[in-house]
PDB file of all heavy atoms in Angstrom:
ATOM      1  N   SER A 141      52.650  12.054 -52.008  1.00 95.00           N
ATOM      2  CA  SER A 141      51.711  11.005 -51.688  1.00 95.00           C
ATOM      3  C   SER A 141      52.464   9.687 -51.614  1.00 95.00           C
ATOM      4  O   SER A 141      53.192   9.322 -52.576  1.00 95.00           O
ATOM      5  CB  SER A 141      50.623  10.884 -52.729  1.00 95.00           C
ATOM      6  OG  SER A 141      49.722   9.830 -52.416  1.00 95.00           O
ATOM      7  N   PHE A 142      52.311   8.968 -50.540  1.00 95.00           N
ATOM      8  CA  PHE A 142      53.019   7.692 -50.307  1.00 95.00           C
ATOM      9  C   PHE A 142      52.057   6.571 -50.586  1.00 95.00           C
ATOM     10  O   PHE A 142      50.891   6.583 -50.226  1.00 95.00           O
ATOM     11  CB  PHE A 142      53.481   7.624 -48.851  1.00 95.00           C
ATOM     12  CG  PHE A 142      54.477   6.555 -48.580  1.00 95.00           C
ATOM     13  CD1 PHE A 142      55.833   6.810 -48.719  1.00 95.00           C
ATOM     14  CD2 PHE A 142      54.080   5.286 -48.202  1.00 95.00           C
ATOM     15  CE1 PHE A 142      56.782   5.815 -48.480  1.00 95.00           C
ATOM     16  CE2 PHE A 142      54.975   4.307 -47.968  1.00 95.00           C
ATOM     17  CZ  PHE A 142      56.353   4.553 -48.078  1.00 95.00           C
ATOM     18  N   GLY A 143      52.530   5.557 -51.354  1.00 96.00           N
ATOM     19  CA  GLY A 143      51.658   4.446 -51.771  1.00 96.00           C
ATOM     20  C   GLY A 143      52.259   3.083 -51.468  1.00 96.00           C
ATOM     21  O   GLY A 143      53.434   2.915 -51.304  1.00 96.00           O
ATOM     22  N   ASN A 144      51.374   2.088 -51.450  1.00 97.00           N
ATOM     23  CA  ASN A 144      51.722   0.684 -51.267  1.00 97.00           C
ATOM     24  C   ASN A 144      51.549  -0.003 -52.582  1.00 97.00           C
ATOM     25  O   ASN A 144      50.418  -0.180 -53.065  1.00 97.00           O
ATOM     26  CB  ASN A 144      50.798   0.041 -50.159  1.00 97.00           C
ATOM     27  CG  ASN A 144      51.086  -1.442 -49.994  1.00 97.00           C
ATOM     28  OD1 ASN A 144      51.978  -2.012 -50.577  1.00 97.00           O
ATOM     29  ND2 ASN A 144      50.256  -2.045 -49.162  1.00 97.00           N
ATOM     30  N   ARG A 145      52.676  -0.443 -53.193  1.00 96.00           N
ATOM     31  CA  ARG A 145      52.599  -1.136 -54.499  1.00 96.00           C
ATOM     32  C   ARG A 145      52.216  -2.569 -54.386  1.00 96.00           C
ATOM     33  O   ARG A 145      51.896  -3.233 -55.369  1.00 96.00           O
ATOM     34  CB  ARG A 145      53.936  -1.031 -55.175  1.00 96.00           C
ATOM     35  CG  ARG A 145      54.347   0.328 -55.593  1.00 96.00           C
ATOM     36  CD  ARG A 145      55.633   0.378 -56.442  1.00 96.00           C
ATOM     37  NE  ARG A 145      56.811   0.074 -55.665  1.00 96.00           N
ATOM     38  CZ  ARG A 145      57.609  -0.983 -55.857  1.00 96.00           C
ATOM     39  NH1 ARG A 145      57.355  -1.845 -56.818  1.00 96.00           N
ATOM     40  NH2 ARG A 145      58.676  -1.202 -55.113  1.00 96.00           N
ATOM     41  N   GLY A 146      52.252  -3.155 -53.175  1.00 95.00           N
ATOM     42  CA  GLY A 146      52.038  -4.580 -52.985  1.00 95.00           C
ATOM     43  C   GLY A 146      50.608  -5.007 -52.743  1.00 95.00           C
ATOM     44  O   GLY A 146      49.691  -4.139 -52.634  1.00 95.00           O
ATOM     45  N   THR A 147      50.373  -6.310 -52.635  1.00 93.00           N
ATOM     46  CA  THR A 147      49.056  -6.855 -52.367  1.00 93.00           C
ATOM     47  C   THR A 147      48.870  -7.229 -50.908  1.00 93.00           C
ATOM     48  O   THR A 147      47.801  -7.719 -50.529  1.00 93.00           O
ATOM     49  CB  THR A 147      48.802  -8.106 -53.226  1.00 93.00           C
ATOM     50  OG1 THR A 147      49.866  -9.030 -53.014  1.00 93.00           O
ATOM     51  CG2 THR A 147      48.785  -7.713 -54.711  1.00 93.00           C
ATOM     52  N   ASP A 148      49.909  -7.039 -50.100  1.00 92.00           N
ATOM     53  CA  ASP A 148      49.833  -7.234 -48.639  1.00 92.00           C
ATOM     54  C   ASP A 148      49.751  -5.855 -47.963  1.00 92.00           C
ATOM     55  O   ASP A 148      50.107  -4.855 -48.557  1.00 92.00           O
ATOM     56  CB  ASP A 148      51.070  -7.978 -48.087  1.00 92.00           C
ATOM     57  CG  ASP A 148      51.107  -9.427 -48.508  1.00 92.00           C
ATOM     58  OD1 ASP A 148      50.038 -10.017 -48.610  1.00 92.00           O
ATOM     59  OD2 ASP A 148      52.237  -9.945 -48.742  1.00 92.00           O
ATOM     60  N   ARG A 149      49.253  -5.859 -46.751  1.00 93.00           N
ATOM     61  CA  ARG A 149      49.357  -4.623 -45.959  1.00 93.00           C
ATOM     62  C   ARG A 149      50.816  -4.229 -45.788  1.00 93.00           C
ATOM     63  O   ARG A 149      51.682  -5.095 -45.607  1.00 93.00           O
ATOM     64  CB  ARG A 149      48.693  -4.845 -44.568  1.00 93.00           C
ATOM     65  CG  ARG A 149      48.719  -3.627 -43.681  1.00 93.00           C
ATOM     66  CD  ARG A 149      48.147  -3.944 -42.326  1.00 93.00           C
ATOM     67  NE  ARG A 149      46.727  -4.236 -42.369  1.00 93.00           N
ATOM     68  CZ  ARG A 149      46.067  -4.922 -41.441  1.00 93.00           C
ATOM     69  NH1 ARG A 149      46.685  -5.452 -40.455  1.00 93.00           N
ATOM     70  NH2 ARG A 149      44.755  -5.116 -41.584  1.00 93.00           N
ATOM     71  N   LEU A 150      51.096  -2.931 -45.916  1.00 95.00           N
ATOM     72  CA  LEU A 150      52.462  -2.433 -45.851  1.00 95.00           C
ATOM     73  C   LEU A 150      52.718  -1.773 -44.494  1.00 95.00           C
ATOM     74  O   LEU A 150      51.940  -0.883 -44.065  1.00 95.00           O
ATOM     75  CB  LEU A 150      52.704  -1.418 -46.979  1.00 95.00           C
ATOM     76  CG  LEU A 150      54.022  -0.638 -46.885  1.00 95.00           C
ATOM     77  CD1 LEU A 150      55.197  -1.505 -47.144  1.00 95.00           C
ATOM     78  CD2 LEU A 150      53.971   0.528 -47.925  1.00 95.00           C
ATOM     79  N   ALA A 151      53.760  -2.177 -43.831  1.00 93.00           N
ATOM     80  CA  ALA A 151      54.176  -1.505 -42.592  1.00 93.00           C
ATOM     81  C   ALA A 151      55.254  -0.453 -42.948  1.00 93.00           C
ATOM     82  O   ALA A 151      56.155  -0.710 -43.701  1.00 93.00           O
ATOM     83  CB  ALA A 151      54.757  -2.492 -41.576  1.00 93.00           C
ATOM     84  N   ILE A 152      55.052   0.753 -42.362  1.00 96.00           N
ATOM     85  CA  ILE A 152      56.045   1.821 -42.541  1.00 96.00           C
ATOM     86  C   ILE A 152      56.393   2.389 -41.167  1.00 96.00           C
ATOM     87  O   ILE A 152      55.588   2.315 -40.225  1.00 96.00           O
ATOM     88  CB  ILE A 152      55.544   2.948 -43.459  1.00 96.00           C
ATOM     89  CG1 ILE A 152      54.287   3.599 -42.863  1.00 96.00           C
ATOM     90  CG2 ILE A 152      55.212   2.413 -44.851  1.00 96.00           C
ATOM     91  CD1 ILE A 152      53.784   4.833 -43.623  1.00 96.00           C
ATOM     92  N   LEU A 153      57.553   2.994 -41.070  1.00 93.00           N
ATOM     93  CA  LEU A 153      57.934   3.781 -39.850  1.00 93.00           C
ATOM     94  C   LEU A 153      58.066   5.231 -40.327  1.00 93.00           C
ATOM     95  O   LEU A 153      58.782   5.505 -41.289  1.00 93.00           O
ATOM     96  CB  LEU A 153      59.246   3.257 -39.296  1.00 93.00           C
ATOM     97  CG  LEU A 153      59.195   1.859 -38.724  1.00 93.00           C
ATOM     98  CD1 LEU A 153      60.601   1.358 -38.345  1.00 93.00           C
ATOM     99  CD2 LEU A 153      58.283   1.783 -37.505  1.00 93.00           C
ATOM    100  N   ALA A 154      57.351   6.087 -39.660  1.00 94.00           N
ATOM    101  CA  ALA A 154      57.293   7.485 -40.075  1.00 94.00           C
ATOM    102  C   ALA A 154      57.627   8.431 -38.923  1.00 94.00           C
ATOM    103  O   ALA A 154      57.154   8.256 -37.794  1.00 94.00           O
ATOM    104  CB  ALA A 154      55.872   7.844 -40.575  1.00 94.00           C
ATOM    105  N   ALA A 155      58.488   9.384 -39.230  1.00 91.00           N
ATOM    106  CA  ALA A 155      58.883  10.389 -38.219  1.00 91.00           C
ATOM    107  C   ALA A 155      58.562  11.780 -38.773  1.00 91.00           C
ATOM    108  O   ALA A 155      58.840  12.069 -39.923  1.00 91.00           O
ATOM    109  CB  ALA A 155      60.364  10.291 -37.882  1.00 91.00           C
ATOM    110  N   ASN A 156      57.957  12.613 -37.938  1.00 90.00           N
ATOM    111  CA  ASN A 156      57.619  14.013 -38.329  1.00 90.00           C
ATOM    112  C   ASN A 156      58.154  14.945 -37.278  1.00 90.00           C
ATOM    113  O   ASN A 156      58.065  14.605 -36.073  1.00 90.00           O
ATOM    114  CB  ASN A 156      56.103  14.185 -38.425  1.00 90.00           C
ATOM    115  CG  ASN A 156      55.492  13.422 -39.561  1.00 90.00           C
ATOM    116  OD1 ASN A 156      55.379  12.210 -39.473  1.00 90.00           O
ATOM    117  ND2 ASN A 156      55.075  14.124 -40.604  1.00 90.00           N
ATOM    118  N   THR A 157      58.650  16.072 -37.684  1.00 85.00           N
ATOM    119  CA  THR A 157      59.099  17.092 -36.704  1.00 85.00           C
ATOM    120  C   THR A 157      57.885  17.961 -36.351  1.00 85.00           C
ATOM    121  O   THR A 157      57.275  18.567 -37.168  1.00 85.00           O
ATOM    122  CB  THR A 157      60.201  17.962 -37.287  1.00 85.00           C
ATOM    123  OG1 THR A 157      59.751  18.559 -38.510  1.00 85.00           O
ATOM    124  CG2 THR A 157      61.441  17.168 -37.566  1.00 85.00           C
ATOM    125  N   GLY A 158      57.586  17.925 -35.050  1.00 82.00           N
ATOM    126  CA  GLY A 158      56.727  18.932 -34.464  1.00 82.00           C
ATOM    127  C   GLY A 158      55.193  18.759 -34.514  1.00 82.00           C
ATOM    128  O   GLY A 158      54.510  19.436 -33.776  1.00 82.00           O
ATOM    129  N   TYR A 159      54.670  17.842 -35.343  1.00 86.00           N
ATOM    130  CA  TYR A 159      53.231  17.796 -35.485  1.00 86.00           C
ATOM    131  C   TYR A 159      52.656  16.375 -35.354  1.00 86.00           C
ATOM    132  O   TYR A 159      53.172  15.457 -35.974  1.00 86.00           O
ATOM    133  CB  TYR A 159      52.822  18.321 -36.877  1.00 86.00           C
ATOM    134  CG  TYR A 159      53.180  19.751 -37.142  1.00 86.00           C
ATOM    135  CD1 TYR A 159      54.385  20.108 -37.674  1.00 86.00           C
ATOM    136  CD2 TYR A 159      52.298  20.791 -36.755  1.00 86.00           C
ATOM    137  CE1 TYR A 159      54.769  21.443 -37.913  1.00 86.00           C
ATOM    138  CE2 TYR A 159      52.659  22.126 -36.957  1.00 86.00           C
ATOM    139  CZ  TYR A 159      53.860  22.445 -37.527  1.00 86.00           C
ATOM    140  OH  TYR A 159      54.209  23.748 -37.755  1.00 86.00           O
ATOM    141  N   GLY A 160      51.572  16.260 -34.596  1.00 88.00           N
ATOM    142  CA  GLY A 160      50.824  14.983 -34.530  1.00 88.00           C
ATOM    143  C   GLY A 160      49.659  15.026 -35.477  1.00 88.00           C
ATOM    144  O   GLY A 160      49.300  16.103 -35.980  1.00 88.00           O
ATOM    145  N   ILE A 161      49.078  13.912 -35.755  1.00 89.00           N
ATOM    146  CA  ILE A 161      48.044  13.820 -36.825  1.00 89.00           C
ATOM    147  C   ILE A 161      46.764  14.610 -36.528  1.00 89.00           C
ATOM    148  O   ILE A 161      45.982  14.818 -37.445  1.00 89.00           O
ATOM    149  CB  ILE A 161      47.712  12.360 -37.213  1.00 89.00           C
ATOM    150  CG1 ILE A 161      47.261  11.570 -35.997  1.00 89.00           C
ATOM    151  CG2 ILE A 161      48.858  11.674 -37.847  1.00 89.00           C
ATOM    152  CD1 ILE A 161      46.873  10.144 -36.299  1.00 89.00           C
ATOM    153  N   ASP A 162      46.561  15.036 -35.295  1.00 89.00           N
ATOM    154  CA  ASP A 162      45.416  15.888 -34.998  1.00 89.00           C
ATOM    155  C   ASP A 162      45.634  17.363 -35.311  1.00 89.00           C
ATOM    156  O   ASP A 162      44.687  18.156 -35.374  1.00 89.00           O
ATOM    157  CB  ASP A 162      45.041  15.801 -33.498  1.00 89.00           C
ATOM    158  CG  ASP A 162      44.243  14.529 -33.177  1.00 89.00           C
ATOM    159  OD1 ASP A 162      43.909  13.799 -34.144  1.00 89.00           O
ATOM    160  OD2 ASP A 162      43.940  14.290 -32.019  1.00 89.00           O
TER     161      ASP A 162
END
Side-chain angles (χ1 to χ4, degrees):
S141 178
F142 195 88
N144 176 5
R145 293 187 288 117
T147 55
D148 290 325
R149 181 184 291 158
L150 170 68
I152 63 175
L153 294 172
N156 294 71
T157 55
Y159 298 90
I161 56 179
D162 280 356

